[in-house]
Amino acid sequence: MSADVSVGLDWATTTHAVCIIDATGHVLERFSVAHDRDGLAELLRRLARFGPRVRIAIERPSGLIVDALVEAGHQVFPIHPNAVAASRPRYRSHGAKSDASDAYLLADLLRTDGHRWAPLSPQSDSIRALRALVRARDELVATRIALANQLRATLEAFWPGAARIFAAVDSPIGLAFLRRYPAPAMAARLGQVQLGRFLRAQHYSGHRSPAQLLARLRAAAPGHTGALTTAAMGDVVLALVSVLKPLVEQLASLTRRIEHFVHSLPDGLIFMSFPRAGRVCAAQILAEIGDVRERYPSDDRLAAEAGVVPLTYESGKRRCVGFRWACNHRLRRAITTLADNSRHANLWARNIYTAARHRGCDHPHAIRILARAWLRVIWRAWVDRKPYDPQLHLGALKASEHGG
């Protein structure tokens, strides 16, 4: 019976709307379930009445409810929200939207156009664990950058020298300095000897002498805030440093965990074998691509998912090429980071990038072109389960150039 029904699930934070239709589009059931343990259990129980392997359409490719449905053996088809939005005029012209109507729309799209989408395959527990670590790190890095920008802006407003004495305000030495000297009055009598003792206590290894660092501190434009404002700004600096210091420490710990974990995975070694990939970037790529080879039957599919190929719009005599907005943005960031790094260590990559720039492409566009070229190689290595071999790669390129 499961082959004859289609299910649409409109996901929400607290309640999910569900619609089950038959092969003719007739509604068999409509109901809602809460996003909690009892709600998920009820959903699985009601779906089981229609068979052990029900086809379900949903607007997201991951999450607790998706994992529960896949683990239960159902076929889950993620449909991009853009496709759902573009299909709404087929069902109504007034433009109104509700969870129940969207659940029906998803079910009917799966019934009529199900051949256009592929069901999700469950990733291994190792990949899901790596993905959790990598995505959490990415979010924490974004938080650190935001806090560091806030700290830098605060310093620029009343004590610019403290923002420039070290390379980064959120570095361990930079945070230690601001914790010791949060306001200019506290560093007014700071000399080379005292600064030298502070640097040795912090195990500073930035290859800058106390005299050079003091020159940076003193050369910046002085602040012109009043005594009360300066004291208040100093309190803000201490508050931001108190938040940033443990965050930076936990980020370092989490990064070490990721580096160790990805090195222990066979697929991790494949991605780490590419030029200048490193462990964190390799982990970011593997976390998004996963270990299910059937998910990407071709390098074209992978390139589209990574957003490194453009979209072509063609109608009659009109043809235009546009940027691909709908993609896995995390994968695009990781792949383009690898591409950008690789051009500094790989002649083939450097030549592709340089040729793109000579054609008039700006830097981001040239990097996406290089990333597309790398994805052909990455996909082949991933499918074959073999690390990158530069000799094999360059040998194949030379053979193709000579018609071999």
Side-chain angles (χ1 to χ4, degrees):
M1 185 176 182
S2 60
D4 298 327
V5 301
S6 299
V7 180
L9 194 153
D10 187 64
W11 181 91
T13 305
T14 58
T15 306
H16 311 302
V18 183
C19 180
I20 304 175
I21 63 176
D22 62 17
T24 65
H26 177 70
V27 176
L28 301 177
E29 277 195 48
R30 289 184 189 269
F31 58 93
S32 297
V33 294
H35 187 69
D36 55 25
R37 182 179 63 181
D38 293 339
L40 292 180
E42 180 187 357
L43 173 63
L44 295 177
R45 178 181 58 79
R46 297 181 76 156
L47 291 177
R49 302 208 311 255
F50 295 91
R53 194 170 172 80
V54 176
R55 299 163 71 243
I56 305 166
I58 189 170
E59 285 185 89
R60 55 182 295 142
S62 60
L64 179 62
I65 192 167
V66 173
D67 291 340
L69 292 171
V70 172
E71 291 298 328
H74 298 299
Q75 288 184 294
V76 179
F77 294 78
I79 301 179
H80 197 279
N82 288 354
V84 177
S87 301
R88 286 196 181 101
R90 290 171 51 185
Y91 297 88
R92 52 188 180 274
S93 59
H94 48 70
K97 178 185 180 302
S98 68
D99 294 342
S101 62
D102 274 359
Y104 174 80
L105 189 154
L106 285 164
D108 203 49
L109 278 179
L110 183 59
R111 178 182 71 89
T112 59
D113 299 74
H115 60 282
R116 298 173 52 200
W117 296 289
L120 288 174
S121 299
Q123 301 284 356
S124 67
D125 191 41
S126 296
I127 293 298
R128 285 189 288 181
L130 180 65
R131 183 176 294 171
L133 291 171
V134 166
R135 290 186 174 181
R137 180 187 178 276
D138 289 346
E139 297 298 330
L140 288 176
V141 167
T143 301
R144 187 205 71 195
I145 292 173
L147 288 170
N149 288 340
Q150 185 178 355
L151 176 58
R152 187 179 298 105
T154 301
L155 292 170
E156 291 287 352
F158 84 112
W159 191 20
R164 302 170 191 177
I165 182 171
F166 298 107
V169 293
D170 59 341
S171 63
I173 186 65
L175 293 174
F177 179 83
L178 292 172
R179 189 174 187 180
R180 180 79 171 271
Y181 308 104
M186 297 179 181
R189 297 183 179 181
L190 182 63
Q192 293 186 29
V193 175
Q194 190 177 0
L195 181 58
R197 286 198 298 266
F198 169 80
L199 295 176
R200 287 191 296 273
Q202 298 297 326
H203 307 289
Y204 174 69
S205 59
H207 308 294
R208 299 285 182 181
S209 68
Q212 290 174 310
L213 294 174
L214 275 177
R216 286 184 178 181
L217 183 67
R218 310 293 189 212
H224 296 284
T225 54
L228 292 178
T229 302
T230 299
M233 291 286 202
D235 291 340
V236 173
V237 168
L238 283 176
L240 290 170
V241 169
S242 298
V243 176
L244 269 167
K245 188 175 184 297
L247 177 59
V248 169
E249 292 171 351
Q250 290 304 313
L251 263 174
S253 176
L254 191 57
T255 299
R256 289 192 296 270
R257 172 78 187 279
I258 291 171
E259 290 175 340
H260 177 75
F261 193 11
V262 73
H263 189 265
S264 69
L265 300 176
D267 283 337
L269 298 177
I270 293 175
F271 291 109
M272 287 168 54
S273 66
F274 287 89
R276 293 276 185 99
R279 296 193 179 190
V280 171
C281 185
Q284 290 170 330
I285 296 172
L286 175 57
E288 299 307 320
I289 292 180
D291 55 7
V292 180
R293 268 62 179 178
E294 294 77 15
R295 185 179 179 188
Y296 301 109
S298 68
D299 61 273
D300 289 332
R301 178 75 66 85
L302 178 57
E305 176 77 6
V308 296
V309 287
L311 282 174
T312 301
Y313 303 89
E314 196 166 359
S315 178
K317 296 182 178 180
R318 183 174 179 270
R319 183 178 184 274
C320 62
V321 178
F323 183 75
R324 184 180 292 268
W325 295 100
C327 68
N328 184 329
H329 295 274
R330 294 178 186 269
L331 180 57
R332 175 155 62 194
R333 283 195 298 269
I335 288 291
T336 52
T337 297
L338 169 63
D340 196 10
N341 292 339
S342 71
R343 66 189 176 92
H344 301 290
N346 184 277
L347 180 60
W348 170 78
R350 188 182 310 125
N351 289 340
I352 291 178
Y353 173 82
T354 303
R357 293 305 303 270
H358 287 166
R359 294 197 300 271
C361 300
D362 60 11
H363 172 73
H365 189 186
I367 289 297
R368 289 196 300 274
I369 291 172
L370 176 56
R372 176 64 184 96
W374 268 124
L375 274 178
R376 296 186 181 95
V377 186
I378 289 172
W379 179 82
R380 175 49 60 191
W382 178 65
V383 169
D384 293 345
R385 303 176 190 269
K386 294 179 180 179
Y388 173 66
D389 183 348
Q391 298 303 319
L392 182 63
H393 176 209
L394 297 178
L397 288 175
K398 291 178 181 178
S400 64
E401 289 172 0
H402 291 87

